[in-house]
Amino acid sequence: MSSCNSSIPQPLTFVLAGIPGLESSHGWFSVPFFLVFVITVIGNATILCIIRVEKSLHEPMFLLLAMLSVVDLSLVSVTVPRMLAIFWMNAKEISFNACLTQMFFIPSFYVMESGILLAMAFDRFVAIWHPLRYTTILANNMLVKMALAVLARAVAVLTPAPILAKRLERFQTHVIAYSYCAYMAVVQIACGDISDHIVYGLMVIVASVGFDLCFISLSYGLILHAVFRIPSWEARGKALSTCGSHFCVIALFYSPVVFSVLAQILGYHMVPHLQIIIDNLYFLVPPMINPLIYGARTKQMREWVLRILHCRGD
């Protein structure tokens, strides 16, 4: 129960604090944020161009990777420019409706990315367990259905967020101690009983990241079971190498979430600015690293990148 001795009505605009406690360092923080944005855009745009041009990459694994790149580009596009505006121009004000829009789209793209990683785990499962039926099972119509399911779940799970936030009538302050409009950050400055909002926030985590991580773990358990039944060590290594890039991306994507949840379970309370920095890592680091991982570990993409660099060198 939030107590408000001097509450204010629902404001027309909120003020985003950026990284509270480190306002004097906003200029320094803008440098890595800007570099992350540039590398992410270049990396994912390169992945999309290579997949579009290289006919040999028009297979399920790489088409799913293209979906991942589109979502990554969308995610950084709705987060980083606003953060840079705060860091560079002190543009901290955001209208209530714009806040609700950001509250929907940022976590939606995150949930979509988690769903695509689950689809990619299923792709690796089919490739290992049913190699002869791989292209039949994961035909284009199946990929379209998977993409629509990922989109539908994100919309269904996140649509209540702005609706519930819109119903909040009184607030302790109009300052959001965050660098973007996070649902729980807005709820925490609201007055009155917020228990329903907390339950909803937990349900979103369970229905998206929790669900996906559970089935990804199941997929990899079955993959390992199949691989270690192969008598040849060379064949085992070859089979596991096809999953290497995806496993690295999964570890990178879910590690901050697992770390944050474990910290709360163990009763470790991080200082606010550290928590905000880690939360930003959820959205910024995976989109930047994903194309680097796949570019380094995929022969066709390495060859294309080297070809592009060679042409520019000439």
Side-chain angles (χ1 to χ4, degrees), residues 110 113-115 117-118 208-210 212-213 216 249-259:
Y110 185 82
E113 181 160 357
S114 181
L117 291 178
L118 174 59
S208 55
V209 174
D212 294 343
L213 193 53
I216 287 172
V249 168
I250 288 172
L252 181 69
F253 183 81
Y254 290 107
S255 292
V257 181
V258 173
F259 171 77

Side-chain angles (χ1 to χ4, degrees), residues 186-261:
V186 174
V187 167
Q188 286 169 359
I189 62 172
C191 295
D193 186 3
I194 60 171
S195 58
D196 290 344
H197 297 272
I198 294 173
V199 170
Y200 165 70
L202 292 173
M203 287 176 62
V204 169
I205 295 173
V206 171
S208 55
V209 174
F211 177 88
D212 294 343
L213 193 53
C214 177
F215 279 92
I216 287 172
S217 301
L218 177 62
S219 293
Y220 269 93
L222 293 171
I223 287 171
L224 291 174
H225 176 70
V227 168
F228 285 109
R229 289 169 58 189
I230 301 173
S232 168
W233 281 96
E234 184 180 352
R236 288 182 188 179
K238 186 176 180 180
L240 287 174
S241 67
T242 64
C243 305
S245 299
H246 183 243
F247 185 79
C248 291
V249 168
I250 288 172
L252 181 69
F253 183 81
Y254 290 107
S255 292
V257 181
V258 173
F259 171 77
S260 181
V261 171

